[in-house]
Amino acid sequence: MTDTEELRRRTQELLAQHPPASTDRLDFLRARFDAGLAWVHYPEGLGGLGAPRSLQGVVNAELEAAGAPDNDPRRIGIGLGMAAPTILAYGTEEQKRRYLRPLWTGEEVWCQLFSEPGAGSDLAALGTRAVREGDEWIVNGQKVWTSSAHVARWAILIARTAPDVPKHQGITYFVCDMTDPGVEVRPLRQITGEAEFNEVFLADVRIPDTRRLGEAGDGWRVAQTTLMNERVSIGGMAVPREGGMIGPVARTWRERPGLRTHDLHQRLLRLWVEAEVTRFTGERLRQQLVAGQPGYEGSGMKLAFARLNQEISGLEVELRGEEGLLYDDWTMRRPELVDFTGRDAGYRYLRSKGNSIEGGTSEVLLNIVAERVLGLPAEPRTDKDVAWKDLAR
Amino acid sequence: MSTQPDLLYSEEEEALRAAVCDLLTDHCAPADVISRTESDAPHDLALWKLLADGMGLAGLLVPEAQGGQGASAREAAVVLEELGRAVAPVPYLTSAVVATEALLACADEELLGRLASGRTIGVLAVGLHHAPDAAFATVRVENGTLHGELTGIADAAVADVLLVPADDDGLYAVTADAVTVTPQVSLDLTRPLATVTLAGAAGRRVGDAGPAVRRALRAAAGLLASEQLGVADWALTETVRYLKERKQFNRPVGGFQALKHRLAQLWLEVVHLRATARAAADALATGQDTDVTVAVAQAYAAPVAVRATEEAVQLHGGIGMTWEHPAHLHLKRAKADSIAYGTAGAHRSALAELVGLQGP
């Protein structure tokens, strides 16, 4: 029933019943969710219609043309991209009904309590403990690099519930109420001076067993669903020449001939070529996805962008010479979104250092390419059959 | 730039690749290429006949009205990928691309038709190292005949016709028996160079040299990226295969992280090269944004192909240094290609002008 025409008809019906011009933003978003037009590939009753995911574009285009409000997807990216697919896959009916609607409308922001000071790339080594007591779990530990924790209502949380078994087997997945006593959020000030992220301290936090996702001890498998959805898909938009970080540098070069040196010229041209080549690779990947023949290229794009951004922004600071010795603002800000272009070269240089660490370090990604794409032997594992409590740390 | 180049391979292009690849598997074994380089006749004219005559590849870029296939640079690029992978010693790039493009600029239908059939091999008598916009050497016109010496002419040894630029800005077709071709000892054994000496040779003026040479060398530079992709892809594939088999310290060498990371990095560069080579082929086919895209491709392709083949030699260990292993053929081709039709640096300089990033 859910072909393009049907979706278009339903969208027009929604617009007729809730004209964007005279409807409250939140009321419109709730009505859109209830009409099954939020994420059409979700089941009926949960914001969708069980339609092919590719048809979402039909709805979005109609709504955009009518000037309908959106749900600010960048602000609620963790909820949309990571929490929702996990809840859909592992949640009970009750959990799905409770969490998905306010998640999608943006009424409730989600964050992700996965990384720990002692468990970064080796995430499954995490040490935050959850001990069962009747119908509740008592949680103690510390999480780090948590985006949006200071504005989040809910968190997806993984904690250790069985220390006597190998690390992957003793983890359980929960939904944590960020307003509960014992949850303390502290800004984590980083290299740029701002605090995009947080540390989250959990002290005797009581989580009811009804907020567990999946079976006790099966949390690693549940987390795989979350992590598989973490990799942001390369955007559906074609990028123009000089569309990335090379743009501001090329502009500065053209506008201020006094800054030019022969050495910088050689480096700029090399990086301009690499930026263009990387753009072609992204474009080829995009065309493959559109043609329904996804390639392995995506695995390498994060690696490529991380290095390129770091080299370009590094060059940009040097190009500015005397000005490169200055910095726009060291005030500890708490941005809701990262905005590279709104700030100076120095900020871009420092922030891009995170590009080769966040969401999988470049070293880990190189292993993944070598093993999954090239089929080279996996790294030797010495932790496989060792109980978590006996691991070196 | 509002439109994006088509960077995929069409079904027809994949079918063409499969056909070329099958033929090369049967008729261009690495051991035979090596032994041929030690003979007086490094070129494989029997293979050329199968490709050019049998499959009609010599006329890929020639319109059907002139006896060709009427295909585009995109198809020629796919052929060059496979020829590069096999380091096939045939004059495809020099005759079916460079000389053909020069004649297309001159609209010489008779000679084009002969080249398209593959029975006549044509070679542009401009040194292989020349970038598309670089000044090139010419011969003197005296009393209606041609005099002079040109060096670094690729595949001249098997040419039936040479296209010779002269000092009156004419491009002259000269038959091979009217000149002296002296082989030079070349770094790339599979695309050997020669000196061409003209002592009062008769020639037929086919057009103006300037635009013909520029067009030919631009197509060559753009499509060379696809040959370099083939060379680099061979190096990566063979090295990965070998490192899965070769055991040292009781484990496959490919399991050591230092080597895995090098190969993963190389894979990423080959992926970039594929997108870029496709972009150049598409730009040549459509005529859109061609100068910039060709310059980008040649600024990027050469270092990747050289590094891929250098890594292949290093990571194969001792066997990689031997004459019997084909890695050296690819290394020599990649290194020669890094100079052919302009170095990466020359193309970066061209880019600086094209995109408004001039130096101090």
Side-chain angles (χ1 to χ4, degrees):
Chain A
M1 57 122 255
T2 41
D3 60 7
T4 303
E5 273 319 301
E6 173 68 10
L7 279 178
R8 210 167 268 148
R9 192 188 62 72
R10 283 177 184 248
T11 309
Q12 289 306 328
E13 202 173 281
L14 170 74
L15 286 164
Q17 284 168 7
H18 308 270
S22 56
T23 308
D24 172 70
R25 176 177 178 273
L26 201 51
D27 286 343
F28 183 88
L29 292 173
R30 286 172 177 162
R32 179 177 164 187
F33 186 92
D34 295 339
L37 300 171
W39 34 32
V40 296
H41 57 293
Y42 271 47
E44 283 190 60
L46 296 173
L49 296 164
R53 190 178 193 146
S54 54
L55 292 183
Q56 185 67 47
V58 175
V59 176
N60 294 353
E62 296 275 307
L63 291 175
E64 203 188 318
D70 74 17
N71 59 343
D72 203 354
R74 288 183 68 203
R75 195 178 69 91
I76 57 171
I78 294 169
L80 289 175
M82 302 173 77
T86 315
I87 292 166
L88 185 68
Y90 287 96
T92 60
E93 276 312 303
E94 205 185 332
Q95 287 169 336
K96 290 179 202 173
R97 290 194 185 279
R98 167 61 190 84
Y99 298 128
L100 290 177
R101 190 173 185 253
L103 181 158
W104 188 85
T105 59
E107 289 165 81
E108 292 179 347
V109 173
W110 286 68
C111 68
Q112 183 210 39
L113 297 175
F114 279 22
S115 294
E116 297 186 2
S121 293
D122 186 10
L123 178 60
L126 59 89
T128 290
R129 289 293 310 276
V131 178
R132 185 147 187 173
E133 206 179 282
D135 290 339
E136 290 181 325
W137 296 82
I138 316 295
V139 183
N140 282 282
Q142 183 193 342
K143 298 287 179 174
V144 74
W145 298 117
T146 316
S147 312
S148 306
H150 55 298
V151 290
R153 172 66 171 78
W154 299 105
I156 41 178
L157 162 74
I158 45 178
R160 184 149 313 277
T161 48
D164 301 329
V165 294
K167 62 184 181 182
H168 291 93
Q169 295 166 29
I171 294 170
T172 304
Y173 199 117
F174 300 98
V175 171
C176 174
D177 186 338
M178 294 296 285
T179 65
D180 271 348
V183 177
E184 192 199 340
V185 177
R186 294 184 204 161
L188 178 60
R189 197 175 188 201
Q190 69 216 57
I191 193 168
T192 56
E194 66 181 17
E196 273 172 74
F197 304 99
N198 301 277
E199 293 179 294
V200 177
F201 295 84
L202 304 160
D204 289 331
V205 177
R206 306 181 86 85
I207 298 182
D209 189 52
T210 52
R211 288 207 202 114
R212 176 167 44 77
L213 277 183
E215 298 304 314
D218 200 27
W220 185 251
R221 194 159 67 95
V222 183
Q224 290 310 303
T225 300
T226 311
L227 296 172
M228 276 190 311
N229 283 284
E230 180 175 18
R231 192 169 294 163
V232 186
S233 63
I234 302 288
M237 298 267 286
V239 179
R241 178 166 292 156
E242 294 189 9
M245 289 220 333
I246 196 73
V249 194
R251 266 197 301 286
T252 305
W253 184 269
R254 292 183 187 116
E255 287 163 9
R256 300 177 58 185
L259 296 175
R260 299 174 190 171
T261 69
H262 289 288
D263 168 57
L264 289 167
H265 191 224
Q266 289 307 310
R267 288 162 59 194
L268 174 68
L269 288 174
R270 273 173 212 275
L271 288 172
W272 195 94
V273 167
E274 278 198 42
E276 183 68 359
V277 165
T278 307
R279 185 178 78 87
F280 284 140
T281 307
E283 175 60 21
R284 183 166 146 79
L285 178 65
R286 195 185 69 85
Q287 291 178 9
Q288 283 176 305
L289 292 173
V290 170
Q293 30 178 278
Y296 287 117
E297 284 82 346
S299 324
M301 288 308 283
K302 183 179 175 294
L303 276 166
F305 276 120
R307 200 178 57 80
L308 191 60
N309 285 348
Q310 290 169 354
E311 290 192 15
I312 292 173
S313 58
L315 175 75
E316 196 181 357
V317 171
E318 278 184 69
L319 168 62
R320 290 178 175 271
E322 186 180 346
E323 269 172 52
L325 295 169
L326 307 177
Y327 192 75
D328 59 357
D329 183 7
W330 288 116
T331 310
M332 189 183 93
R333 302 196 233 178
R334 309 221 64 199
E336 281 199 28
L337 296 169
V338 186
D339 179 13
F340 275 104
T341 48
R343 299 212 30 197
D344 273 0
Y347 174 84
R348 280 195 277 281
Y349 170 69
L350 295 172
R351 181 59 186 84
S352 69
K353 294 297 157 218
N355 294 163
S356 51
I357 302 169
E358 58 201 351
T361 63
S362 290
E363 289 70 22
V364 165
L365 290 176
L366 286 169
N367 275 353
I368 289 174
V369 167
E371 291 169 18
R372 300 199 192 152
V373 181
L374 301 178
L376 291 164
E379 288 303 296
R381 297 293 299 263
T382 57
D383 55 352
K384 235 170 158 179
D385 303 315
V386 181
W388 174 82
K389 65 181 173 53
D390 299 325
L391 291 175
R393 55 187 143 252
Chain B
M1 270 284 296
S2 51
T3 56
Q4 301 288 335
D6 175 3
L7 302 177
L8 306 182
Y9 298 104
S10 69
E11 276 179 39
E12 292 77 13
E13 285 163 9
E14 288 293 6
L16 175 63
R17 176 202 305 289
V20 175
C21 186
D22 284 352
L23 191 114
L24 292 171
T25 304
D26 293 344
H27 297 278
C28 192
D32 297 338
V33 179
I34 292 172
S35 56
R36 200 176 291 284
T37 63
E38 296 165 294
S39 75
D40 290 341
H43 291 96
D44 187 346
L45 293 178
L47 177 62
W48 172 250
K49 192 169 161 57
L50 290 171
L51 288 162
D53 215 356
M55 296 182 69
L57 297 185
L60 221 43
L61 294 174
V62 177
E64 288 179 44
Q66 277 117 59
Q69 308 262 348
S72 77
R74 293 177 55 90
E75 288 82 4
V78 171
V79 173
L80 278 165
E81 274 182 44
E82 297 310 309
L83 294 177
R85 197 185 306 278
V87 283
V90 291
Y92 183 84
L93 183 62
T94 44
S95 184
V97 175
V98 180
T100 298
E101 285 285 338
L103 289 173
L104 283 167
C106 302
D108 187 300
E109 303 208 355
E110 189 271 332
L111 197 45
L112 258 183
R114 281 167 55 203
L115 255 55
S117 77
R119 284 177 207 132
T120 298
I121 293 171
V123 160
L124 180 69
V126 171
L128 183 64
H129 63 287
H130 279 283
D133 55 358
F136 49 85
T138 55
V139 296
R140 298 185 313 281
V141 187
E142 282 175 21
N143 305 323
T145 59
L146 304 168
H147 301 262
E149 187 179 89
L150 298 164
T151 58
I153 312 303
D155 295 337
V158 287
D160 304 299
V161 178
L162 294 124
L163 301 174
V164 182
D167 58 4
D168 64 350
D169 199 32
L171 187 67
Y172 289 83
V174 182
T175 54
D177 52 20
V179 304
T180 307
V181 175
T182 313
Q184 295 176 290
V185 179
S186 305
L187 174 67
D188 178 3
L189 297 155
T190 56
R191 182 176 285 144
L193 308 180
T195 299
V196 177
T197 310
L198 299 96
R204 178 171 65 83
R205 186 178 167 125
V206 292
D208 294 338
V213 170
R214 204 171 307 114
R215 171 174 172 164
L217 297 190
R218 189 178 73 163
L223 290 177
L224 185 66
S226 289
E227 175 176 301
Q228 288 162 316
L229 168 62
V231 171
D233 200 41
W234 178 89
L236 174 65
T237 306
E238 275 306 299
T239 307
V240 167
R241 192 182 60 73
Y242 181 70
L243 293 199
K244 284 182 199 173
E245 282 171 9
R246 171 75 169 168
K247 292 184 186 67
Q248 299 275 270
F249 306 103
N250 197 36
R251 47 194 276 217
V253 172
F256 288 94
Q257 194 176 56
L259 305 189
K260 285 164 72 174
H261 283 195
R262 278 164 72 168
L263 289 169
Q265 186 60 43
L266 196 56
W267 170 83
L268 186 56
E269 289 169 26
V270 172
V271 163
H272 280 338
L273 176 51
R274 177 167 288 113
T276 307
R278 280 275 88 189
D282 194 67
L284 284 163
T286 62
Q288 278 189 41
D289 199 29
T290 315
D291 288 333
V292 171
T293 310
V294 166
V296 166
Q298 270 315 305
Y300 188 75
V304 173
V306 170
R307 219 172 68 72
T309 50
E310 286 178 348
E311 288 284 78
V313 169
Q314 171 66 22
L315 297 179
H316 273 79
I319 185 77
M321 274 300 288
T322 64
W323 189 266
E324 72 175 287
H325 194 282
H328 68 97
L329 296 177
H330 292 79
L331 174 71
K332 290 161 188 171
R333 173 66 70 86
K335 196 67 183 172
D337 278 357
S338 76
I339 298 164
Y341 309 116
T343 61
H347 286 279
R348 278 195 296 273
S349 298
L351 259 183
E353 292 297 321
L354 288 167
V355 302
L357 292 172
Q358 289 87 352

